[in-house]
Amino acid sequence: MTDSTSLLITGANVIDATGERLADVRIADGTITDVATGLTAADGEHHIDAAGLTLTPGFVDLHTHLREPGKEEAETIETGSRAAAKGGYTAVVAMPNTDPTQDSVSVVDFVRRQGQLAGLCDVYPSGSITVGRQGTQLTPFGELSEAGVKLFTDDGNGVQDALLMRRAFEYAKGLGVTMAQHCEVEQLTGGAVMHEGDCCSHLGLPGWPSLAEELMVHRDIELVRLTGAPAHFLHLSTMKSVELVRAAKADGLPVTAEATPHHISLTDELLRSYSAIYKVNPPLRTMDDVTAVREGLRDGTIDAVATDHAPHVPESKEQPLDQAPPGMLGLETALGVCIAHLDMPLVDIVAALSWKPAAIAGIDDVHGRPVAVGEPANLTLFDADVSWEVVPAELASKSRNTPFVGVPLRGRTTHTILDGTLTVENGTPTR
Amino acid sequence: MSRSLLSIEELGADGVHRILELADTMAEVNRRPNPKVPALRGKTVCSVFFEDSTRTRLSFETAAKRLSADTMTFAVSQSSLSKGESLKDTIETIAAMGVDAFVIRHGSTGAPWLVDNWTSASVVNAGDGWHAHPTQALLDMYTVRTALGRTGGFDGLRVAIVGDIKHSRVARSTSAAFHAMGADVTWVAPRTLLPPVFHEHHTESLDDVIGPDGSGVDVLYMLRMQNERMTEALVPNLREYTSRFGLTPARAARLAPHTLIMHPGPINRGVEIAVDPAELPGAVITQQVTNGIAVRMAVLFDLLSADADPTSDLERPDFA
Ligand SMILES: [Zn+2]
């Protein structure tokens, strides 16, 4: 059955959680209606010849800073959604460090509604663990979870108080939500600008020791052991963090973890350029850490790639290292960085970009689904082999703070389909 | 010759030697009854100090004036920085007034490199963060060279840099310069005041480097120890610091007569140097200040003289 709103994709290499095969896929009214070989386009049907391309469930970003409300000069929910779509994402989890903070139903509803209005990808607001991300009072987990929030985090900061974190785990356990921790013991990172090691010693900068991350990973693993509540570890960056999570998983604890594209591709040596474009939190680390994080992704210790997309206006990054804010763009380059830097099967890369994060975000009823009849048509089509470089003026994000300008990337989205509608066609957003 | 002087590492051993040779010529100028030459007439040097340092600023300005350059000063207290003007705005505004060289002091690592990207003028790093202070390192090298008469290099020279190395741009640049000159450098500090990877060639005992008969070291470079390191719990208290790392009368009495004692100033009397420096025969601390002018003249001349006024009576020496 076809009609004028239907879409036919032929000849694609289809990858989903069930495996990999060549197939043609027909979509109508937001649903996959046909998966077969030898399908032909009906009159008036939109046809994409996808020979040589890979069709997968749409990507899901667990860690996006959309900046709205509060910092619309750097990004809006619309521009961030467009950047997401361009990167192949059909869903993003919006981090709560907005102004006001996403700590109430009204702010969370606002973010979701702006996402719907933009209509470029599904925006799932996360909630903060503590009111105003101040680390002292728990947010109303019950109300927020009823409003659809599945992931709670004070990202940008870790919850410093161990007792408060214990209570967060305990209280949230019955609600079916997950606590996502930005692991940083702030007593050890005061004033820190970059990874504590060789490079920071020579540059005379205050260092962010790996231990500051690892101590909190360790603390939360033990709190998970104590409470039985699930934890997700945001943007892990050190060798020992990966080891801790590997051991916790071996113990059967309900923990998951993510790594960013930049922590699998860049090292602290880049700060020798004095360019704040490379300043992130947690900081870029050593090659040994990069290797360990890649290995964590390869063996499944780290479940997902999450971008930590953090837009900033150019002026704020044109400052000395200690004055510039941390963060870099990620949505439009994640796939290209992953294929270029991860020596693992494409199906495992897509798993880390799609169905595994969808499960962590609690949205795997709609996203990261198999490419099969009756499933929602949230899909990504990409060229896994194309080599390309970022052209800043072509970025969909309102900001330009990407470290990947002039760096060869491999693999680029050509089409993104949200609920049966093309949000990106031939690499260009449709709206 | 390069356009800017940002770090000793960029200058390299050859660059250090070149500046020291040039500084000899400048020292000769400074000994004249009228210590002024027209070498940089028509050039404008602007000092931009985001951190207070009257000593360094005056040293640079004196150097520029002795070469007949025009000088401008931009002090932060008079600026609109407090109104949110960025470093980039400030530099671009001053550059638009026509400046040949910026002498910049900034509390942030790397700021002079950013400035260098934003202007076609020469940039001299007059100290950034805890990171680098290349002209201090050059004047230190010039002082050692003059005091010991070692024009060829410092092979075999045993140097100890003592104190708060972690927070010291002087320690970083001066170590790099001593290495470039071929000296052996030992860092002497408690581990709380040592950057994480400086543990090689490190000792926590000043007595070890001096040795029982005082002959273990040729240059003792004492760094300024600030009170705030105590409140930050990096050292238990200053008395203990002095007893372990200070140049006390007992240690001073043991030093071999040829041992040079250096300090970037200002001295925290009674703490890192607990003796009147006038009573230390090897102290070259005032020479460091004097030599600072000649070395900074050499740096400015090196950077700005390529297209300098041809009527200058100071010919660029030939190092070929
Ligand atoms: Zn974070």
Side-chain angles (χ1 to χ4, degrees), chain B residues 227-288:
Chain B
N227 265 314
E228 66 207 66
R229 303 306 168 218
M230 205 170 69
T231 52
E232 291 165 357
L234 291 164
V235 291
N237 63 53
L238 290 185
R239 190 190 67 247
E240 167 158 333
Y241 175 81
T242 304
S243 73
R244 295 188 64 208
F245 299 98
L247 186 55
T248 56
R251 291 189 181 111
R254 238 166 61 221
L255 288 176
H258 75 271
T259 307
L260 295 185
I261 295 156
M262 305 179 75
H263 191 289
I267 297 174
N268 210 344
R269 291 277 182 125
V271 182
E272 66 269 8
I273 299 185
V275 196
D276 184 347
E279 290 168 21
L280 295 167
V284 289
I285 298 166
T286 48
Q287 286 95 311
Q288 287 174 272

Side-chain angles (χ1 to χ4, degrees), chain A residues 196-207 271-276 315 317-323, chain B residues 7 10 86-88 106-111 113-114 117-118 128-132 166 172 195-198:
Chain A
E196 181 179 291
D198 275 38
C199 200
C200 96
S201 296
H202 289 118
L203 297 181
L205 287 166
L271 274 299
R272 290 189 193 272
S273 67
Y274 310 102
S275 169
E315 302 82 79
K317 283 291 191 180
E318 287 174 340
Q319 294 194 87
L321 286 169
D322 58 338
Q323 292 172 20
Chain B
S7 73
E10 287 173 7
S86 72
L87 175 61
K88 192 179 185 193
H106 200 287
S108 300
T109 287
W113 278 260
L114 300 183
N117 289 337
W118 297 329
D128 64 317
W130 306 339
H131 178 219
K166 179 172 179 167
R172 285 182 179 76
V197 298
F198 280 45

Side-chain angles (χ1 to χ4, degrees), chain B residues 16 18 21 26 30-31 33 52-53 83 93 95 120 157 164 207 223 232-233 244 249 266-267 276 291 316:
Chain B
V16 172
R18 183 180 72 238
E21 294 286 329
M26 299 302 169
N30 288 339
R31 286 191 293 268
D52 215 24
S53 174
K83 295 181 210 146
T93 304
S120 56
L157 193 75
D164 185 1
D207 289 315
L223 297 169
E232 291 165 357
R244 295 188 64 208
I267 297 174
D276 184 347
N291 290 336
R316 193 183 162 76

Side-chain angles (χ1 to χ4, degrees), chain A residues 63 65 95 97 133 153-158 181-184 234-235 258 281-282 308:
Chain A
H63 198 143
H65 296 277
M95 289 290 106
N97 61 333
R133 298 173 50 254
T153 175
D154 274 4
D155 182 51
N157 298 95
Q181 192 73 279
H182 167 118
C183 294
E184 175 181 359
L234 301 170
H235 46 46
E258 66 182 39
N281 187 9
D308 196 0

Side-chain angles (χ1 to χ4, degrees), chain A residues 96-121:
Chain A
N97 61 333
T98 49
D99 184 11
T101 305
Q102 289 167 206
D103 59 6
S104 67
V105 171
S106 59
V107 179
V108 157
D109 279 349
F110 167 82
V111 170
R112 186 184 292 107
R113 200 164 54 246
Q114 292 301 105
Q116 286 162 352
L117 284 173
L120 286 152
C121 77

